[in-house]
Each structure stands twice: as C-alpha cells, then as structure tokens.
Amino acid sequence: MPAVASVPKELYLSSSLKDLNKKTEVKPERISTKNYVQSALKLFKKAEESRLDRDEERAYVLYMKYVTVYNLIKKRPDFKQQQDYFHSVLGPSNIRKAVEEAERLSESLKLRYEEAEVRKKLEEKDRQEAEQLQKQKRQEAGREDGGMSAKSSLGNALDSKDKTQKINGEMSEKNETTERGAITAKELYTMMMDKNISLIIMDARRIQDYQDSHISDSLSVPEEAISPGVTTSWIEANLPDGSKDRWKTRGNVDYVVLLDWFSSTKDLQLGTTLRSLKDALFKWESKTILRSEPLVLEGGYENWLLCYPQYTTNAKVTPPPRGKNEEVSISCIGFYLPLTGRTSSF
C-alpha cells in the first residue's frame, strides 16, 4: 500500500470551494450500467490514490464524481432488479467512505482557500507598502539633491566628510548589537529570569532531538510539521499532544522565540524550516496575532547547551554535524559555570 504523504499538495485546481464544485459535475450519458459501474470503480480508485498522495483538491473532485455516478447507477432499471449484485461489485462500504472523505476534504479545503485568500491580500498589502516606501525615498532623495546643489563646494566637502563619519559610526555601532529579529543566549536567559516578561520558546528541531534534550519549559514545534507555505492550522493539527495547549497561548505572551540546532537570522532563507514557521506565525496568520515579531535564537540549541547547560533537560547530547553554510556563533558573554563556581566568557 502506498505511503501517505506528510504534507498536503499546494492548491492548484481552484481558488474556492464553490469553483471546485463546478469540476465535480458529471453529465448523464447513454451507456450501459456495466460501463457506469466500471467508471465508478476507476473514480474511487483514483480518489483513494489522490488521498494518499495528499492531493486534497483532486481527491475531493474524484470522490464527488464517484458519488454522482453511484446515484446515476441507482436510478437505472437493471440496478433495481439486481441490487445485491451491483452492491457487491461497487463495494458495500465504498459509497459511505466516499461521502465521509468528501465531507472531511470539504472542511479542510474551505479553510485552506480562506487562508490562501488572506495570504494573497497580505502579500498585496506588503507590495503596495513597499511601492509607497520606494516612492517616498525617491521624493526625499530628490529634495536632498536639490538642497545640495545650492551649497558651496567647500560646504559640500565638509558635509560629505561629516556624513561619512556619521555613517561609519552608525555601522560600527550596528555591528556591536544583535541582528534585527535575533536574540542571544544571554538575552534569552535574562528574559527567562524576568518574572515580568512572558514568552514561549518554540523548538523546531526534529521531535526525537527535542525528546533527547531541550530548553526547560520550551515546546516542540517539530520540523516534521513544517513545510514551505504551511499554515498555523496545519502545524497545530500535527503538533505533539504536549505542545498544543501552550501553542494556543502564543498570542498572549510578550515574546515568541524560535530555534533549531544552529539557528541564525542570517540563515532564514525561503523554504527553510524556521523561515516557514516564522512566516506562518507572523506573516500569514490572521486569527492569532502575536504581540511582536518572533525572535530567532542566535547559535541555536548548540549555543544554548554551551552557555546554559543547567537549563536543559539533558546537557550531554551531541549536536549533529553543521551544514556548509552554517556559521559558529557563541554569544553567551560572562555566563556562570555552576560546576566550577567561576565565570567564563567567549
């Protein structure tokens, strides 16, 4: 029996359940009941294959067509005369399963189409905001150019020198601070110790890695439940039972922190696990709104193990080999080593 795919296929047949239903129509034809039965069996088989392949749209259309053909067969005179025979050929449980699967897929697709529409609107909003920002920058640049042309050559030289010094200073200052959207192990530890700050730490490593060792009081949002374009509803449905209650409170905390083995804001490329999780939580979500943009733990769990092993469930695990593009990042300055009673720094 074919294995069931873990993630539903991207929507491609339609943009709404109403439009998809138009593809389920079957026009009556002047063919024999036997041919109708053969068509029904083929439809059911293909529907099952599509279901296992997680092609929800195609499976829904095929199940609905099967139900329609089944009802056409029931209206045939020879069906009424040989009901037991046709029921045995069609399969006594097939029609019940087709109806149940069609209803389940209908609910799933309705939700996915709604979320896709929300995503589309948000993307359009982002695009318009980006265009407006570019327009404002061009206007400001035009005003600055006009002002500069009125200055003397000496004034230009002094102004240029002053600007260069200022920019270099800002760049130097920026290099000494954390990347935007990132949080160091030391900063996370400080937040965890502050009773006035509420946060949820989401561990996106594989479920087995989380079970072997994790940050105390973190929750598992395993990479097995995350894929490009995934929604929070899909993630929630595939969470471990122990994570679901905390997951639902994400909109009530001050901060959400994401991590994997070697997480870094520099590695948040499209298609990666953490980028997909962050987009699902912050960019595409329309129901549970986070109080702030999710933060990424710099250096990931490997770095946390080095800095604060006493705040893990098992400090003796060995991280997996690093990828070629993953940088080493140790960011716990002046952390305490409880076993030696001394302070160390990197």
Side-chain angles (χ1 to χ4, degrees):
M1 184 176 180
V4 180
S6 59
V7 179
K9 284 194 173 182
E10 292 290 327
L11 300 171
Y12 66 97
L13 282 179
S14 187
S15 59
S16 69
L17 193 61
K18 181 179 179 181
D19 289 339
L20 188 64
N21 278 324
K22 295 177 182 178
K23 302 181 185 293
T24 67
E25 297 175 358
V26 176
K27 294 181 179 180
E29 297 182 14
R30 292 183 179 181
I31 58 176
S32 67
T33 304
K34 182 179 179 181
N35 286 339
Y36 263 130
V37 170
Q38 291 175 347
S39 297
L41 293 174
K42 289 178 181 179
L43 285 168
F44 187 81
K45 181 182 178 181
K46 290 180 180 179
E48 288 286 88
E49 290 173 353
S50 297
R51 177 180 63 83
L52 293 175
D53 200 32
R54 298 307 304 274
D55 189 341
E56 293 190 340
E57 288 180 307
R58 188 166 186 267
Y60 174 78
V61 170
L62 291 169
Y63 279 127
M64 290 296 290
K65 284 189 174 183
Y66 172 82
V67 172
T68 301
V69 172
Y70 183 89
N71 288 329
L72 288 173
I73 294 172
K74 286 179 64 176
K75 295 177 182 179
R76 292 280 181 127
D78 45 350
F79 174 86
K80 296 176 182 179
Q81 294 171 3
Q82 305 178 63
Q83 289 190 32
D84 292 340
Y85 167 74
F86 284 113
H87 278 307
S88 65
V89 174
L90 289 167
S93 62
N94 285 3
I95 184 63
R96 183 170 62 253
K97 183 173 184 180
V99 172
E100 290 174 352
E101 288 294 337
E103 289 177 349
R104 181 187 65 80
L105 290 168
S106 173
E107 291 299 317
S108 175
L109 287 167
K110 181 181 178 182
L111 180 61
R112 290 180 66 193
Y113 284 134
E114 289 174 352
E115 290 176 340
E117 183 63 24
V118 171
R119 269 202 303 269
K120 184 178 178 182
K121 290 180 180 178
L122 287 173
E123 287 176 346
E124 177 62 21
K125 181 180 178 183
D126 289 345
R127 186 188 65 78
Q128 291 177 354
E129 289 177 351
E131 288 181 355
Q132 184 65 24
L133 183 61
Q134 290 295 327
K135 183 178 179 180
Q136 290 175 356
K137 286 182 177 180
R138 287 195 295 269
Q139 291 175 345
E140 291 171 1
R143 286 195 293 269
E144 289 177 2
D145 291 343
M148 289 292 289
S149 62
K151 294 181 179 180
S152 65
S153 57
L154 177 61
N156 284 336
L158 292 173
D159 187 55
S160 176
K161 181 179 179 181
D162 179 67
K163 283 186 177 181
T164 301
Q165 292 173 342
K166 183 178 180 181
I167 290 172
N168 289 337
E170 288 175 349
M171 289 177 65
S172 175
E173 181 181 350
K174 182 178 180 181
N175 288 336
E176 295 174 359
T177 62
T178 309
E179 286 277 339
R180 182 178 178 275
I183 184 172
T184 65
K186 186 173 185 291
E187 290 168 339
L188 176 57
Y189 169 77
T190 301
M191 290 169 63
M192 290 171 64
M193 296 300 106
D194 191 335
K195 295 181 180 180
N196 295 319
I197 296 177
S198 59
L199 75 157
I200 290 179
I201 302 170
M202 296 188 181
D203 190 325
R205 296 174 298 143
R206 293 185 305 111
I207 185 67
Q208 186 59 55
D209 290 338
Y210 178 86
Q211 292 172 349
D212 291 342
S213 174
H214 58 268
I215 297 176
S216 306
D217 204 35
S218 64
L219 68 89
S220 175
V221 185
E223 68 175 36
E224 293 93 329
I226 305 167
S227 61
V230 75
T231 64
T232 52
S233 300
W234 168 256
I235 294 175
E236 182 174 329
N238 291 275
L239 286 177
D241 291 338
S243 297
K244 291 185 177 180
D245 288 341
R246 288 283 307 284
W247 167 267
K248 293 176 182 177
T249 67
R250 62 191 184 279
N252 301 324
V253 298
D254 298 322
Y255 299 98
V256 172
V257 178
L258 312 179
L259 67 100
D260 57 22
W261 271 113
F262 312 110
S263 50
S264 171
T265 52
K266 297 177 182 177
D267 299 327
L268 289 185
Q269 305 298 321
L270 281 173
T272 59
T273 299
L274 279 192
R275 175 64 180 272
S276 299
L277 174 58
K278 184 176 180 180
D279 285 349
L281 288 167
F282 193 67
K283 191 172 184 180
W284 308 130
E285 179 61 283
S286 60
K287 296 179 181 178
T288 302
I289 307 301
L290 301 185
R291 294 181 182 178
S292 59
E293 181 177 352
L295 300 172
V296 175
L297 179 61
E298 284 297 315
Y301 192 60
E302 180 196 42
N303 189 34
W304 183 266
L305 278 169
L306 293 171
C307 297
Y308 301 102
Q310 69 273 33
Y311 290 101
T312 67
T313 58
N314 176 17
K316 296 182 179 181
V317 295
T318 302
R322 285 179 168 274
K324 293 181 180 179
N325 298 323
E326 290 171 329
E327 299 179 1
V328 177
S329 173
I330 301 177
S331 57
C332 41
I333 307 298
F335 67 91
Y336 184 67
L337 295 175
L339 299 179
T340 62
R342 59 186 173 84
T343 300
S344 178
S345 62
F346 288 89

